[in-house]
Amino acid sequence: MTAESTAESPVPSPAEHGSPSLVSSSPRSPAVPSALSLLPPRRRDSGFRMPVRRRPPARPLAPVPLLLADGTAALLGALALAGHRPLLPALLVTFSMLLRPHRPPRRMQGVLDELPTVGARIAVGWLALAGFVAVYAPSDALSAPTLALGLAVQSGAACAGRGLVHRRRRTLLRRHPRAALVIGPADTAQRVAAAVLRHPACGVRPVGVVAAVAEGDDGLPVLTTGQEVQRALIQNGVREVLAVHPSVRREQAPLLRALAESGCVLWELDADSPSYEAREQLAGFSCRRLPLGAARPVGRGKRVLDVTLAGTALLLVGPLLLGCAAVLRLTGGPGVVFRQERIGKDGRPFTLLKLRTHRPRDEHESATRWSVADERGMTWFCRLLRRTSADELLQLWNVVRGDMSLVGPRPERPFFVGQFSQSHPGYAARHRMPAGITGLAQIHGLRGDTSIEDRARFDNAYIDNWSLWQDICILLRTAAALLRPTGS
């Protein structure tokens, strides 16, 4: 959990950003500023921007053909076990399917490329079967010729079957290459696009170059606006994006995320000299896949975890909340629950609940003042609630209602979301995931008056690498922090 620390607003006023105030005179303004979308609006000094239009993601390679090839090879290898117990062929097929390579094949995979892996796994399967038989049925122990014959037959059949599958896929890629956009400086992007077009066996067909400035008239058309990129995506069915300069990831991060959100696969190419070990190659260029884009699929397990833990915690701390509310009512008068509009997943506003420890002078202060954690007029009890984060326990009800999650990026007010989204390109991308009471940024000390850039980076790292176990680890570390004498 977090508690705001003492600080004045660390961001400039809206006027200093060259934009009108984003604060409405009413506490629940129905108008949400455009900066609350997953991408902030385009500005001349902040690089390329484009609107997001979601499309169905590109279908991955079907695993069924390779599965059938491996299964058929295992069945053929089992013929070497003729004369043994019927259970042994079944065990061989089971071992072979469990040990088969599960890593997605490379872009231009060949049977020789994967021969060591396939052969080693088949050998392990046969050795495991031989060991199992030697232990539980010594009388049926497999002889060396049987092992050699079975291993040779299955390996040959697996290579032949997988070779046919890979050949078929390469033929389809050559006949129906995937349209691609090349992003980077215009001259470098044009050079890479021309090289890729000279090698149609790559299965990629560049259809345009995305650059901040159009240079020269030769080569592919240069796209410089979001509307041009979006039109190219739709008209050409673009599914691949090639980033050809190291600066692209830093300067065009919002564009890359938008393209990934639209269903494109992102690749980073080293257009000059190879600077990293790459498993993939494209037209001789070292390349690697960029894991940017939409939030990873969040399963029902996260929601089940939220409801279970938040509901249980509410039952346990219910008497404590009632006691705190009674003290606040006696010492501060009516209105013990503080309600404030925050921005959640996909930029949707919701009402966040807290125990009231401070009364803003007006709605404008409530919406635009960065922190009120150490007001001189605050009573000792309110200071205690702030220091222990007990004032935020009411947010458990937000979790139960579905407004928030236990773990996720901390939600912020619309005014500051608009400011930070324009100042920090990665901030708006935090809204791909439901907001949370605690998060990866908070357990690393990023709360109160700390770097917004660092918070956004940690939050996006959490989203890009989300797992249910990561949520559990963050919750355990948050609980450990709460038990320390200094609080959360």
Side-chain angles (χ1 to χ4, degrees):
M1 297 184 186
T2 63
E4 304 298 341
S5 64
T6 306
E8 295 297 328
S9 173
V11 296
S13 64
E16 294 177 39
H17 281 283
S19 60
S21 174
L22 299 178
V23 181
S24 172
S25 59
S26 63
R28 295 284 296 178
S29 173
V32 180
S34 60
L36 302 187
S37 62
L38 291 184
L39 291 176
R42 184 183 181 190
R43 297 191 304 151
R44 292 182 180 274
D45 58 346
S46 61
F48 192 96
R49 300 290 187 271
M50 67 164 287
V52 176
R53 173 171 292 187
R54 297 183 182 274
R55 300 180 298 162
R59 292 189 302 175
L61 294 175
V64 175
L66 291 178
L67 187 66
L68 291 176
D70 292 336
T72 302
L75 291 174
L76 292 176
L79 295 177
L81 299 173
H84 292 76
R85 296 183 181 183
L87 177 62
L88 297 187
L91 289 175
L92 174 65
V93 174
T94 301
F95 289 155
S96 299
M97 300 311 292
L98 290 176
L99 293 172
R100 62 181 295 272
H102 294 283
R103 177 180 291 182
R106 301 193 315 199
R107 177 187 295 273
M108 297 303 294
Q109 183 83 329
V111 65
L112 293 179
D113 298 321
E114 59 184 8
L115 178 59
T117 301
V118 173
R121 292 175 185 266
I122 292 176
V124 169
W126 274 93
L127 293 176
L129 178 65
F132 179 84
V133 174
V135 172
Y136 292 99
S139 60
D140 291 332
L142 302 181
S143 63
T146 300
L147 283 174
L149 177 61
L151 181 60
V153 171
Q154 185 175 349
S155 298
C159 290
R162 284 179 163 261
L164 291 175
V165 173
H166 294 318
R167 182 176 180 180
R168 173 63 176 169
R169 287 176 172 173
R170 287 196 298 269
T171 301
L172 291 177
L173 279 176
R174 184 186 291 269
R175 293 178 179 176
H176 307 284
R178 304 184 72 175
L181 292 178
V182 186
I183 305 179
D187 54 347
T188 303
Q190 293 284 12
R191 176 165 55 88
V192 172
V196 174
L197 287 172
R198 288 194 298 268
H199 295 82
C202 297
V204 176
R205 178 176 57 88
V207 296
V209 167
V210 181
V213 179
E215 299 178 359
D217 299 328
D218 299 332
L220 297 175
V222 179
L223 314 176
T224 59
T225 66
Q227 288 73 21
E228 292 176 349
V229 173
Q230 192 163 2
R231 190 180 305 116
L233 289 178
I234 298 173
Q235 292 180 350
N236 297 280
V238 173
R239 289 298 187 181
E240 304 270 344
V241 174
L242 311 178
V244 298
H245 195 272
S247 64
V248 173
R249 292 191 67 179
R250 180 181 69 255
E251 299 176 358
Q252 307 291 6
L255 168 63
L256 294 178
R257 290 193 181 278
L259 290 169
E261 291 274 350
S262 69
C264 295
V265 178
L266 308 182
W267 299 90
E268 184 178 52
L269 271 68
D270 197 326
D272 299 314
S273 58
S275 58
Y276 51 81
E277 182 180 356
R279 180 172 175 263
E280 302 276 359
Q281 285 193 350
L282 179 67
F285 295 107
S286 298
C287 66
R288 58 182 173 181
R289 185 165 178 174
L290 295 180
L292 302 178
R296 298 180 62 183
V298 178
R300 295 183 179 179
K302 183 176 178 67
R303 181 59 182 158
V304 171
L305 180 70
D306 287 342
V307 173
T308 301
L309 295 185
T312 303
L314 273 178
L315 293 177
L316 294 177
V317 303
L320 174 62
L321 287 174
L322 290 176
C324 292
V327 174
L328 289 175
R329 178 66 175 82
L330 293 175
T331 58
V336 298
V337 177
F338 177 70
R339 296 174 174 84
Q340 191 174 66
E341 184 179 67
R342 298 290 179 101
I343 299 301
K345 186 174 184 295
D346 295 331
R348 292 191 294 267
F350 70 94
T351 301
L352 180 136
L353 303 177
K354 283 187 180 183
L355 290 176
R356 184 182 294 278
T357 56
H358 171 78
R359 294 182 183 274
R361 290 190 299 269
D362 50 36
E363 294 294 343
H364 183 270
E365 180 189 78
S366 176
T368 62
R369 182 157 186 186
W370 176 242
S371 177
V372 292
D374 199 25
E375 285 289 321
R376 294 183 178 180
M378 193 178 295
T379 65
W380 68 268
F381 185 71
C382 293
R383 293 177 187 272
L384 177 64
L385 293 180
R386 286 273 187 171
R387 191 175 302 114
T388 60
S389 298
D391 62 321
E392 300 192 18
L393 288 175
L394 273 182
Q395 293 170 36
L396 293 170
W397 180 243
N398 285 115
V399 175
V400 173
R401 290 198 317 181
D403 298 329
M404 300 173 60
S405 175
L406 287 173
V407 182
R410 283 295 296 169
E412 195 45 78
R413 287 161 284 179
F415 175 81
F416 291 109
V417 171
Q419 296 278 11
F420 297 153
S421 295
Q422 295 181 17
S423 304
H424 308 284
Y427 188 85
R430 301 164 66 253
H431 299 97
R432 297 173 289 155
M433 181 75 81
I437 296 179
T438 186
L440 187 64
Q442 282 65 45
I443 65 174
H444 282 86
L446 296 171
R447 31 183 301 277
D449 186 19
T450 53
S451 169
I452 301 301
E453 180 181 356
D454 289 348
R455 290 196 209 184
R457 185 171 63 254
F458 274 94
D459 288 336
N460 284 316
Y462 161 75
I463 296 172
D464 292 335
N465 300 279
W466 177 85
S467 69
L468 197 60
W469 179 245
Q470 183 182 203
D471 279 7
I472 295 174
C473 292
I474 292 175
L475 289 173
L476 292 176
R477 290 172 180 170
T478 301
L482 287 172
L483 296 177
R484 295 171 186 164
T486 55
S488 64

